[in-house]
Amino acid sequence: IFDTNAQRFHYIILSLLSFIIANFTLTMASFPVDKTHAFGKLILFGEHFVVYKVPALVGAVSAYTDCKLEYTAEPGLEVIDNRPAVPLYKEKKTEEGIAAINLTLTHLGVDTKKRGVKLTFGGDLCCASGIGASAAQVVSLARAVNIADSRSMSEDEINAAGYEGEKGYHGTPSGIDNTAATFGGLLRFQRTEGAPIFDKKTLLSPIRIVYASTGITSSTTEVVGDVRAKKEADEAWFADLIGKYTDLCEQGQKAAEEGDMDKLGKLMNLNHEYLQELTVSCKELDDLVVAARAAGAVGAKMSGTGRGGLMIALTPTEEIQNEVASALEKLAPQVWKTTFA
């Protein structure tokens, strides 16, 4: 019973607001974060060389990052980062991470000055240099925008948004990390003047991998810049090295597809030597590589940016995989096992 029309109007408005708020809360509570998964990656062959438009071979790991997106009435950006990480990773990457998020949102036409955005990142991918955590973050963000706005973005469009976001972390990214984060599997990747070329590979048998962290977080932008400076200082030396690497990568792809683990391991060892020549390895990485080989790995190398970050070891059997993991746990702060299939 209402005494006046004004009271009736007031009641209707309050009812509508209650309905909107209740449904908004329900929508956010049920946001399908499982559909925002973006994978980490490990580079078998090609870190640093891939920047110069030669092929690389990369495998996605099963661990992932996810993202929940909520639009808020108050303009601005709020980021809650619940991802597991090695010590100091998030602290060192905070500025780059915000830049990457803003680049991704801008690319997708999301203006936080007009409408607020709250992002919550999670998942089981442990952030460490070399695992592709930055790419997984921005690809999961692109998937979250796609869901929140009820868009129908293709995987190529998700990948393109991830590439734009990667510029915040890496300056001039190769594109390999966001491609692995988007598509998963084992990929042959190559940059071109236009869109990158990638080819998903089918394996005769799974590739068992152990990877370990040095606990050191390095700046990809700085390391890539140092490699570029070495190239420009001695173009002939770099051309010879990249030529040897390109041949190695082709052999490595063939060995992976045929399931020749011994050959694949030897090529990984040689790739590590090339990366040492580029000065992107370090004592901590080299020590882990030596320990993995001594424990039974048929091949081991640094993976990713280098000067810290990760190393990977090729372990043909489950027994060897466990032995290598146990040996590395005595030296490395974090050790994981995974399989490329």
Side-chain angles (χ1 to χ4, degrees), residues 125-139:
L125 177 66
C126 183
C127 300
S129 292
I131 198 63
S134 60
Q137 182 184 37
V138 291
V139 169

PDB file of all heavy atoms in Angstrom, residues 125-139:
ATOM      1  N   LEU A 125      50.070 -22.478 -12.697  1.00  0.00           N
ATOM      2  CA  LEU A 125      51.365 -22.232 -13.334  1.00  0.00           C
ATOM      3  C   LEU A 125      52.206 -21.356 -12.414  1.00  0.00           C
ATOM      4  O   LEU A 125      51.828 -20.223 -12.093  1.00  0.00           O
ATOM      5  CB  LEU A 125      51.171 -21.534 -14.681  1.00  0.00           C
ATOM      6  CG  LEU A 125      52.470 -21.167 -15.421  1.00  0.00           C
ATOM      7  CD1 LEU A 125      53.218 -22.427 -15.848  1.00  0.00           C
ATOM      8  CD2 LEU A 125      52.176 -20.283 -16.632  1.00  0.00           C
ATOM      9  N   CYS A 126      53.348 -21.888 -11.977  1.00  0.00           N
ATOM     10  CA  CYS A 126      54.239 -21.126 -11.101  1.00  0.00           C
ATOM     11  C   CYS A 126      55.056 -20.153 -11.940  1.00  0.00           C
ATOM     12  O   CYS A 126      55.782 -20.553 -12.861  1.00  0.00           O
ATOM     13  CB  CYS A 126      55.163 -22.073 -10.337  1.00  0.00           C
ATOM     14  SG  CYS A 126      56.237 -21.216  -9.152  1.00  0.00           S
ATOM     15  N   CYS A 127      54.929 -18.882 -11.634  1.00  0.00           N
ATOM     16  CA  CYS A 127      55.620 -17.844 -12.402  1.00  0.00           C
ATOM     17  C   CYS A 127      57.124 -17.891 -12.146  1.00  0.00           C
ATOM     18  O   CYS A 127      57.574 -17.792 -11.005  1.00  0.00           O
ATOM     19  CB  CYS A 127      55.093 -16.465 -12.020  1.00  0.00           C
ATOM     20  SG  CYS A 127      53.341 -16.247 -12.324  1.00  0.00           S
ATOM     21  N   ALA A 128      57.883 -18.046 -13.226  1.00  0.00           N
ATOM     22  CA  ALA A 128      59.341 -18.049 -13.169  1.00  0.00           C
ATOM     23  C   ALA A 128      59.840 -17.641 -14.544  1.00  0.00           C
ATOM     24  O   ALA A 128      59.161 -17.864 -15.555  1.00  0.00           O
ATOM     25  CB  ALA A 128      59.875 -19.434 -12.802  1.00  0.00           C
ATOM     26  N   SER A 129      61.004 -17.047 -14.606  1.00  0.00           N
ATOM     27  CA  SER A 129      61.571 -16.671 -15.905  1.00  0.00           C
ATOM     28  C   SER A 129      61.765 -17.925 -16.749  1.00  0.00           C
ATOM     29  O   SER A 129      62.371 -18.898 -16.303  1.00  0.00           O
ATOM     30  CB  SER A 129      62.924 -15.969 -15.707  1.00  0.00           C
ATOM     31  OG  SER A 129      62.753 -14.724 -15.090  1.00  0.00           O
ATOM     32  N   GLY A 130      61.235 -17.904 -17.976  1.00  0.00           N
ATOM     33  CA  GLY A 130      61.421 -19.021 -18.899  1.00  0.00           C
ATOM     34  C   GLY A 130      60.198 -19.883 -19.106  1.00  0.00           C
ATOM     35  O   GLY A 130      60.135 -20.648 -20.074  1.00  0.00           O
ATOM     36  N   ILE A 131      59.180 -19.767 -18.256  1.00  0.00           N
ATOM     37  CA  ILE A 131      58.002 -20.644 -18.350  1.00  0.00           C
ATOM     38  C   ILE A 131      56.872 -20.004 -19.151  1.00  0.00           C
ATOM     39  O   ILE A 131      55.842 -20.624 -19.395  1.00  0.00           O
ATOM     40  CB  ILE A 131      57.521 -21.057 -16.945  1.00  0.00           C
ATOM     41  CG1 ILE A 131      56.598 -22.284 -17.010  1.00  0.00           C
ATOM     42  CG2 ILE A 131      56.819 -19.893 -16.240  1.00  0.00           C
ATOM     43  CD1 ILE A 131      57.260 -23.525 -17.538  1.00  0.00           C
ATOM     44  N   GLY A 132      57.039 -18.757 -19.579  1.00  0.00           N
ATOM     45  CA  GLY A 132      55.989 -18.104 -20.355  1.00  0.00           C
ATOM     46  C   GLY A 132      54.857 -17.580 -19.501  1.00  0.00           C
ATOM     47  O   GLY A 132      53.713 -17.460 -19.967  1.00  0.00           O
ATOM     48  N   ALA A 133      55.154 -17.219 -18.246  1.00  0.00           N
ATOM     49  CA  ALA A 133      54.107 -16.759 -17.329  1.00  0.00           C
ATOM     50  C   ALA A 133      53.471 -15.459 -17.795  1.00  0.00           C
ATOM     51  O   ALA A 133      52.262 -15.255 -17.628  1.00  0.00           O
ATOM     52  CB  ALA A 133      54.694 -16.578 -15.924  1.00  0.00           C
ATOM     53  N   SER A 134      54.259 -14.578 -18.378  1.00  0.00           N
ATOM     54  CA  SER A 134      53.701 -13.300 -18.838  1.00  0.00           C
ATOM     55  C   SER A 134      52.720 -13.514 -19.974  1.00  0.00           C
ATOM     56  O   SER A 134      51.649 -12.901 -20.015  1.00  0.00           O
ATOM     57  CB  SER A 134      54.826 -12.355 -19.273  1.00  0.00           C
ATOM     58  OG  SER A 134      55.584 -12.902 -20.342  1.00  0.00           O
ATOM     59  N   ALA A 135      53.067 -14.401 -20.901  1.00  0.00           N
ATOM     60  CA  ALA A 135      52.159 -14.682 -22.014  1.00  0.00           C
ATOM     61  C   ALA A 135      50.888 -15.361 -21.524  1.00  0.00           C
ATOM     62  O   ALA A 135      49.778 -15.039 -21.965  1.00  0.00           O
ATOM     63  CB  ALA A 135      52.856 -15.562 -23.048  1.00  0.00           C
ATOM     64  N   ALA A 136      51.037 -16.295 -20.594  1.00  0.00           N
ATOM     65  CA  ALA A 136      49.858 -16.965 -20.048  1.00  0.00           C
ATOM     66  C   ALA A 136      48.934 -15.958 -19.376  1.00  0.00           C
ATOM     67  O   ALA A 136      47.704 -16.057 -19.470  1.00  0.00           O
ATOM     68  CB  ALA A 136      50.286 -18.047 -19.056  1.00  0.00           C
ATOM     69  N   GLN A 137      49.509 -14.960 -18.719  1.00  0.00           N
ATOM     70  CA  GLN A 137      48.692 -13.948 -18.050  1.00  0.00           C
ATOM     71  C   GLN A 137      47.862 -13.146 -19.050  1.00  0.00           C
ATOM     72  O   GLN A 137      46.648 -12.993 -18.887  1.00  0.00           O
ATOM     73  CB  GLN A 137      49.586 -13.006 -17.246  1.00  0.00           C
ATOM     74  CG  GLN A 137      48.797 -11.956 -16.478  1.00  0.00           C
ATOM     75  CD  GLN A 137      49.688 -10.970 -15.749  1.00  0.00           C
ATOM     76  OE1 GLN A 137      50.732 -10.579 -16.243  1.00  0.00           O
ATOM     77  NE2 GLN A 137      49.269 -10.568 -14.564  1.00  0.00           N
ATOM     78  N   VAL A 138      48.500 -12.630 -20.096  1.00  0.00           N
ATOM     79  CA  VAL A 138      47.760 -11.759 -21.014  1.00  0.00           C
ATOM     80  C   VAL A 138      46.827 -12.546 -21.932  1.00  0.00           C
ATOM     81  O   VAL A 138      45.769 -12.041 -22.330  1.00  0.00           O
ATOM     82  CB  VAL A 138      48.714 -10.856 -21.830  1.00  0.00           C
ATOM     83  CG1 VAL A 138      49.360  -9.826 -20.922  1.00  0.00           C
ATOM     84  CG2 VAL A 138      49.791 -11.649 -22.561  1.00  0.00           C
ATOM     85  N   VAL A 139      47.168 -13.791 -22.257  1.00  0.00           N
ATOM     86  CA  VAL A 139      46.252 -14.617 -23.046  1.00  0.00           C
ATOM     87  C   VAL A 139      45.019 -14.966 -22.214  1.00  0.00           C
ATOM     88  O   VAL A 139      43.884 -14.927 -22.715  1.00  0.00           O
ATOM     89  CB  VAL A 139      46.959 -15.889 -23.562  1.00  0.00           C
ATOM     90  CG1 VAL A 139      45.945 -16.878 -24.144  1.00  0.00           C
ATOM     91  CG2 VAL A 139      47.991 -15.519 -24.635  1.00  0.00           C
TER      92      VAL A 139
END
